[in-house]
Amino acid sequence: QKEVEQNSGPLSVPEGAIASLNCTYSDRGSQSFFWYRQYSGKSPELIMFIYSNGDKEDGRFTAQLNKASQYVSLLIRDSQPSDSATYLCAVPQGGSEKLVFGKGTKLTVNP
Amino acid sequence: DAGITQSPRHKVTETGTPVTLRCHQTENHRYMYWYRQDPGHGLRLIHYSYGVKDTDKGEVSDGYSVSRSKTEDFLLTLESATSSQTSVYFCAISESLAIGTDTQYFGPGTRLTVL
C-alpha cells in the first residue's frame, strides 16, 4: 500500500508561470516532508524540507503543508526551462529514517 | 554528490550471474541506503544500514543482500541476477541527527542491465 501519492503528470507550464505540484500522504502522524528534484539521467537532489504546518519559502520555491487535509504542495514561481525535471515527494516512514517516495511528477517548462 | 561514489556506473550482465554494486562515502554518515528506480514505480528502498554490520530490509529486498564492514562502504549483491532486476540503482546516505528530519543525499547511480 503506497503511502505517498503524486500526480505523475506530465505537467506543462509556460516560462514565467507558477507551477504547482501536489503530494498526498496516508500517515496522519507524519511530521516532516521532503521535495527532491531529479533531472533526466541524474540522481535526486533535495530542494525543500518542511516540518511544521504552513508555508516555507526558499527563493522561487514555496512548500505548503496542510496536515488536516494530508497534503503537501510545492509551488515554483517564475518557472524557468531549467526547472524542467521530475519532482519527488518523500515522507519518513513511521518515525524511522526510511523515506517513502511518491512516483514523482514530471514538469516541463516551455520557453 | 555529497562525497558519494558508486561503482560500476554501468553494467551489463547475464541472467544467473552474481553482481555486486559498491557505494562509497567520504562523509562519515551513519545511515546508508540502496534504492532501485523503475518507470512507473519510482524510488523503492531495497536495504539500508544504520551502522557497521547493522542492516535491515526495505520494501523490495527479495533477491538482494547487503554488507557493511566499514562505515564508508555499503555493498549490494544480487546473488543470481534476473531480468526483473534490470534497473537504476541509487545509493544514499544520511547523518541521522534527528529521526525523520535528516536529508538523504544520493549518489550518481548505477545502471544495471540483466540480459
Side-chain angles (χ1 to χ4, degrees):
Chain A
Q1 180 179 353
K2 197 66 178 177
E3 300 178 18
V4 180
E5 299 287 344
Q6 293 182 256
N7 186 331
S8 61
L11 174 65
S12 182
V13 301
E15 184 174 355
I18 296 175
S20 178
L21 307 162
N22 296 314
C23 171
T24 59
Y25 58 95
S26 58
D27 183 0
R28 280 199 173 273
S30 296
Q31 302 271 8
S32 54
F33 305 85
F34 299 82
W35 281 101
Y36 283 82
R37 176 178 62 197
Q38 186 175 23
Y39 292 114
S40 180
K42 301 297 185 181
S43 55
E45 57 177 338
L46 181 76
I47 55 170
M48 186 72 78
F49 166 72
I50 184 167
Y51 183 78
S52 58
N53 221 9
D55 297 359
K56 179 180 178 181
E57 188 173 316
D58 184 0
R60 296 185 296 109
F61 297 93
T62 299
Q64 298 176 322
L65 174 57
N66 186 318
K67 289 186 177 180
S69 300
Q70 293 180 243
Y71 77 82
V72 56
S73 60
L74 180 70
L75 301 179
I76 306 174
R77 291 184 303 280
D78 187 25
S79 294
Q80 301 296 309
S82 59
D83 295 325
S84 297
T86 296
Y87 290 81
L88 306 171
C89 173
V91 181
Q93 181 180 17
S96 74
E97 286 294 325
K98 295 186 287 186
L99 289 180
V100 178
F101 284 83
K103 294 180 182 179
T105 298
K106 184 174 182 179
L107 171 68
T108 300
V109 180
N110 300 303
Chain B
D1 291 321
I4 311 169
T5 57
Q6 293 184 230
S7 59
R9 294 292 313 279
H10 302 271
K11 186 170 182 67
V12 179
T13 191
E14 294 190 350
T15 298
T17 60
V19 176
T20 295
L21 307 183
R22 179 182 183 234
C23 177
H24 178 78
Q25 61 148 328
T26 58
E27 306 296 324
N28 200 35
H29 283 2
R30 178 183 172 194
Y31 278 74
M32 299 185 75
Y33 312 80
W34 276 109
Y35 291 90
R36 61 178 290 175
Q37 188 172 40
D38 305 287
H41 291 279
L43 274 166
R44 292 180 292 174
L45 182 65
I46 305 171
H47 281 280
Y48 69 103
S49 169
Y50 46 96
V52 174
K53 297 194 170 134
D54 293 322
T55 65
D56 205 350
K57 296 179 180 179
E59 178 187 356
V60 289
S61 59
D62 287 349
Y64 302 94
S65 62
V66 290
S67 66
R68 191 171 178 197
S69 59
K70 298 185 290 185
T71 298
E72 59 266 34
D73 289 324
F74 193 30
L75 303 181
L76 177 70
T77 297
L78 292 66
E79 302 291 346
S80 177
T82 68
S83 58
S84 64
Q85 293 176 311
T86 292
S87 186
V88 178
Y89 291 85
F90 287 103
C91 173
I93 64 174
S94 68
E95 197 168 5
S96 182
L97 295 176
I99 295 292
T101 62
D102 288 316
T103 298
Q104 290 188 17
Y105 300 95
F106 285 81
T110 294
R111 183 173 295 275
L112 176 67
T113 301
V114 183
L115 301 175

